[in-house]
Amino acid sequence: MSSKFSLTGISDIALGKDLRSEDQIIGKKAGLTVLNSVSFFLAGVSVLFLIAFQINESVSLTWFFLSEAIAFLLIPLLARQGFEKSAKMLLIAYADIGIVILSSVFGGDAMIQAFFIPAMGLSILLFDNKQIVLRNIGIGLSIVSYFILDYIIFERISISESGFSLVRWSVLTGSFVTTWLIFNTFSQFKESAENQTLELLDKEKELNQELSLKQEKLENYIQQLEVATEELAKSTKAKSEFLATMSHEIRTPMNAILGMTHLLKQDSPRKDQVEPINILDFSGKTLLSLIDDVLDFSKIEAGKIEFEAIEFELNKLVNVILESFRITARNKGIDIQANVNDQVPDYLIGDPARLTQILNNLFSNALKFTEEGKVELNIELLQDRGEEVRVQFAISDTGIGIEKERVETIFESFTQASQNTKRLFGGTGLGLTISKQLAELQGGSIFVESEKGEGSTFFVELTFGKGKAKAEQSELNEDEINENSLRGLKVLLAEDNVVNQKVMQRFLERWNVEMKVVEDGIQVLEAMGETNFDVILMDLQMPNMDGYEATEQIRKLDDPYKRNIPIIALTAAALKEVREQVFAAGMNDFVTKPFNPADLEQKLYSFTKK
């Protein structure tokens, strides 16, 4: 609203120019345009009546028409100051009063009261549908004024015939001009609305054409997307098949390398042979770890990673991890230890394999980058939620540490603390990335605190279900197994790879196991027809008949003993779907190549006790 009130804007309003007040345009709205036009016209009519009654002094109404003229001139200025509704109501009121006064003066014969009809129309033009109450009030004023003329007796004022004629023609002229002005204004807005409607229809037509073109493009994009999706599905399938093949082909020779290395370490090697054998063993396990990292990274990228929810003993899992790194730590002169807080439940429900993988990666890194001192695992209870617990695993070392600017990037794929680190210590840079993703996919987190030259501490936080301590453990104690535990066990080995046959034979001979070797599923069925075996070690990928089909055929045999014989799969594929197929085919258990001799011995021993 303007802070100043000025009479200089009257001519601008009369000429229909845009009047701006604080960036608002006054006069462009329909109601304000009608108000301006009618106000100035009625001001002119009031001046005419002023002159007419001034000439004819028989009726003293000069004061009234003077006030009317001033009022009609001030009404547009009042609207300009922001009092639009008040200005509109005043315009209607003054018009009604003028009609009442003139009708009283000239009587019913002059039919001046007919002007109440355009006065009611004026209310309709001034107020839009959003101001229906004010519109009805304006119309009501005109109706009330009309009834005043009929039911209130005014004093008749005599007027000369010439004066009466002048006034009558002025009134008639004013009536015609007022009616023309109001409805001409309405007509202009009607034409403008029609033009806008035509423009909108043309715009709608253009938009429909554009929409049609975009719809055609969208359909083309959808078709291209469907083709791309099919290609992606084929590519994903080919990738999965490639990973399965690579896993099998690489793990098969790795089984021979690590198996033979294990046998060499147990054959009391000479002192000069110990170091080369340890190097061979370490290198083989490192290579296997790299292969596992690449496979896991690919599975995570493809969204095929899945997690188990099984009960496991935390202390036993930690001890297995420590034992797996004890020789490496001893060779480097590093002390390794683990501390489990008493508040942490002994039995947890989660995925022990993935937890082991995360801790192995962090332990391996800690040992790799530590030349002296110690590596320590501390396990604390962060939160007890009743059925669940939040556990923190902190692995700290006294190694080379990490620069502050590199701390945030070490969890990125194929990233290490520096190029110098990669040259000195090797590795793909995937271990931490996989650990972080495995933790986050289980609703956990991983972060690090480190200073250059001061060592590092990696924190892993995971949520587990609470397990229940078993009264009797079904798992066998490794201390119960000795060199005579498997004596006399009859094993049928189905393996087409000659090198792996020899590796397996060496282990089984040490365990005093009687063994027969066959190369495919057909020979398995033939051997079972000739001899009764206690256990079958079944390779999955063999010529003529693979391990899956051979197992299915065995489970259909009539002889109940042979039909229910324990079958342990020997698989070089580490993929979860392969393991699911193993159990779906009817096998009892599986051992992943390269196999852990203790794990295989444990499984064979468990079947001798059944």
Side-chain angles (χ1 to χ4, degrees):
M1 187 181 300
S2 176
S3 60
K4 295 183 179 180
F5 183 85
S6 174
L7 295 175
T8 57
I10 295 178
S11 61
D12 291 337
I13 297 175
L15 294 174
K17 294 182 178 180
D18 294 340
L19 301 177
R20 301 175 185 272
S21 176
E22 293 188 2
D23 298 329
Q24 295 180 351
I25 299 178
I26 307 298
K28 289 208 170 188
K29 297 179 181 178
L32 290 178
T33 303
V34 173
L35 182 140
N36 291 334
S37 302
V38 174
S39 294
F40 285 107
F41 172 76
L42 291 180
V45 172
S46 298
V47 172
L48 290 177
F49 278 108
L50 173 65
I51 295 172
F53 282 103
Q54 185 66 32
I55 295 173
N56 189 335
E57 297 179 353
S58 58
V59 180
S60 180
L61 291 177
T62 304
W63 61 271
F64 173 74
F65 288 107
L66 178 61
S67 63
E68 285 266 301
I70 294 173
F72 286 133
L73 288 174
L74 292 178
I75 283 173
L77 297 179
L78 182 65
R80 183 182 179 184
Q81 299 304 309
F83 302 98
E84 298 176 13
K85 297 178 182 178
S86 300
K88 291 176 182 179
M89 292 303 299
L90 285 175
L91 176 61
I92 295 171
Y94 274 106
D96 289 339
I97 292 171
I99 296 171
V100 170
I101 295 298
L102 290 174
S103 298
S104 300
V105 172
F106 298 108
D109 295 337
M111 292 300 293
I112 297 175
Q113 59 268 33
F115 278 100
F116 282 121
I117 296 175
M120 287 187 284
L122 180 62
S123 298
I124 296 173
L125 292 178
L126 287 174
F127 298 106
D128 56 25
N129 292 331
K130 296 179 181 179
Q131 300 171 326
I132 192 71
V133 175
L134 295 176
R135 177 190 290 179
N136 292 334
I137 292 173
I139 295 173
L141 285 176
S142 300
I143 295 173
V144 170
S145 300
Y146 180 82
F147 279 101
I148 289 174
L149 292 175
D150 282 348
Y151 293 102
I152 298 179
I153 301 174
F154 289 93
E155 180 182 356
R156 301 291 181 173
I157 301 175
S158 60
I159 189 171
S160 64
E161 184 177 351
S162 60
F164 178 81
S165 178
L166 176 62
V167 172
R168 182 178 63 186
W169 285 109
S170 298
V171 171
L172 290 173
T173 302
S175 176
F176 280 113
V177 173
T178 301
T179 303
W180 172 83
L181 179 63
I182 291 174
F183 287 98
N184 183 63
T185 303
F186 176 78
S187 176
Q188 290 178 354
F189 278 99
K190 179 183 176 183
E191 291 176 1
S192 176
E194 290 175 349
N195 291 333
Q196 290 180 0
T197 301
L198 291 174
E199 290 177 0
L200 288 174
L201 289 174
D202 292 338
K203 188 67 175 177
E204 181 183 6
K205 186 176 179 180
E206 293 177 3
L207 290 174
N208 286 335
Q209 291 176 348
E210 292 180 7
L211 181 61
S212 179
L213 292 174
K214 290 182 178 180
Q215 187 174 0
E216 291 179 0
K217 290 182 179 180
L218 180 60
E219 290 175 353
N220 291 332
Y221 289 148
I222 291 174
Q223 292 177 354
Q224 294 175 8
L225 181 61
E226 289 175 349
V227 173
T229 302
E230 291 178 0
E231 294 296 326
L232 179 61
K234 293 179 181 178
S235 174
T236 302
K237 183 179 179 181
K239 182 178 179 181
S240 298
E241 292 175 351
F242 172 76
L243 289 174
T245 302
M246 288 298 296
S247 175
H248 180 273
E249 295 302 322
I250 295 176
R251 284 175 174 273
T252 297
M254 285 301 301
N255 181 58
I257 294 171
L258 293 179
M260 286 297 183
T261 303
H262 184 82
L263 291 171
L264 289 173
K265 291 171 68 174
Q266 291 186 336
D267 282 342
S268 301
R270 301 191 308 270
K271 289 184 179 181
D272 60 326
Q273 294 175 331
V274 172
E275 184 177 3
I277 292 174
N278 287 336
I279 292 174
L280 181 63
D281 183 57
F282 176 78
S283 299
K285 290 178 179 177
T286 301
L287 178 58
L288 184 61
S289 175
L290 295 178
I291 295 167
D292 288 339
D293 283 348
V294 173
L295 292 174
D296 281 334
F297 185 72
S298 300
K299 284 192 287 185
I300 292 172
E301 277 194 325
K304 290 189 173 184
I305 199 79
E306 294 182 12
F307 298 94
E308 294 180 316
I310 59 176
E311 186 169 305
F312 64 95
E313 186 179 354
L314 181 61
N315 282 299
K316 183 175 180 180
L317 182 145
V318 171
N319 289 334
V320 169
I321 292 174
L322 286 182
E323 286 303 317
S324 65
F325 289 103
R326 197 169 297 282
I327 295 176
T328 303
R330 187 184 302 125
N331 291 337
K332 296 187 71 172
I334 298 171
D335 180 39
I336 60 172
Q337 57 184 349
N339 303 303
V340 182
N341 191 281
D342 293 337
Q343 294 180 334
V344 181
D346 292 332
Y347 291 90
L348 301 175
I349 298 176
D351 193 327
R354 294 304 177 185
L355 174 59
T356 300
Q357 185 175 0
I358 294 172
L359 297 181
N360 275 338
N361 276 331
L362 297 179
F363 236 106
S364 176
N365 274 354
L367 285 172
K368 182 191 296 185
F369 299 117
T370 302
E371 294 301 326
E372 59 181 11
K374 66 178 180 178
V375 174
E376 188 174 16
L377 168 62
N378 291 299
I379 303 176
E380 302 282 344
L381 178 67
L382 293 182
Q383 201 172 18
D384 190 334
R385 304 172 184 171
E387 295 297 321
E388 293 183 335
V389 288
R390 187 79 169 178
V391 181
Q392 183 186 78
F393 303 84
I395 297 179
S396 57
D397 63 63
T398 56
I400 62 175
I402 306 169
E403 297 176 356
K404 290 184 178 180
E405 58 270 18
R406 301 288 296 181
V407 167
E408 296 300 324
T409 63
I410 61 171
F411 291 104
E412 296 177 3
S413 305
F414 308 105
T415 301
Q416 292 185 338
S418 66
Q419 288 297 322
N420 187 49
T421 301
K422 179 177 289 189
R423 288 193 302 269
L424 290 174
F425 300 99
T428 61
L430 285 177
L432 290 178
T433 302
I434 293 170
S435 297
K436 178 179 175 64
Q437 292 176 336
L438 289 176
E440 291 178 348
L441 287 171
Q442 296 179 87
S445 63
I446 183 170
F447 58 96
V448 61
E449 294 178 358
S450 180
E451 289 187 15
K452 186 70 174 177
E454 299 295 329
S456 306
T457 301
F458 284 83
F459 298 90
V460 180
E461 295 180 4
L462 293 171
T463 300
F464 299 95
K466 285 184 178 179
K468 297 180 180 179
K470 301 175 184 178
E472 295 182 3
Q473 295 296 321
S474 60
E475 295 183 5
L476 298 169
N477 192 328
E478 293 181 6
D479 295 336
E480 298 177 5
I481 304 175
N482 54 54
E483 60 182 8
N484 296 317
S485 296
L486 301 180
R487 181 180 296 276
L489 189 68
K490 293 182 178 181
V491 175
L492 177 60
L493 173 64
E495 171 66 72
D496 64 315
N497 186 283
V498 177
V499 176
N500 283 330
Q501 287 178 2
K502 293 185 178 298
V503 173
M504 190 66 72
Q505 281 180 314
R506 293 285 300 275
F507 279 110
L508 295 179
E509 287 173 358
R510 290 188 174 218
W511 299 335
N512 300 311
V513 171
E514 297 180 17
M515 181 181 64
K516 180 177 178 61
V517 180
V518 294
E519 296 183 352
D520 58 41
I522 295 176
Q523 294 181 17
V524 169
L525 297 175
E526 292 175 352
M528 289 198 63
E530 299 172 357
T531 310
N532 287 336
F533 295 94
D534 297 314
V535 180
I536 299 177
L537 297 177
M538 184 80 75
D539 188 26
L540 298 181
Q541 297 186 16
M542 297 182 292
N544 302 319
M545 181 185 291
D546 61 26
Y548 298 111
E549 187 177 353
T551 300
E552 292 172 356
Q553 294 294 329
I554 292 172
R555 297 311 182 202
K556 296 177 183 179
L557 294 175
D558 295 330
D559 187 335
Y561 177 83
K562 295 180 179 179
R563 183 173 65 243
N564 296 313
I565 186 172
I567 301 176
I568 301 175
L570 298 176
T571 172
L575 304 180
K576 186 174 184 291
E577 50 267 30
V578 175
R579 299 177 183 179
E580 291 174 351
Q581 292 175 16
V582 164
F583 291 111
M587 301 184 200
N588 301 86
D589 210 336
F590 65 89
V591 173
T592 303
K593 298 176 185 177
F595 64 87
N596 182 343
D599 184 30
L600 177 60
E601 187 178 12
Q602 179 87 10
K603 292 182 185 295
L604 289 173
Y605 180 73
S606 67
F607 286 112
T608 65
K609 292 295 183 181
K610 293 183 179 180

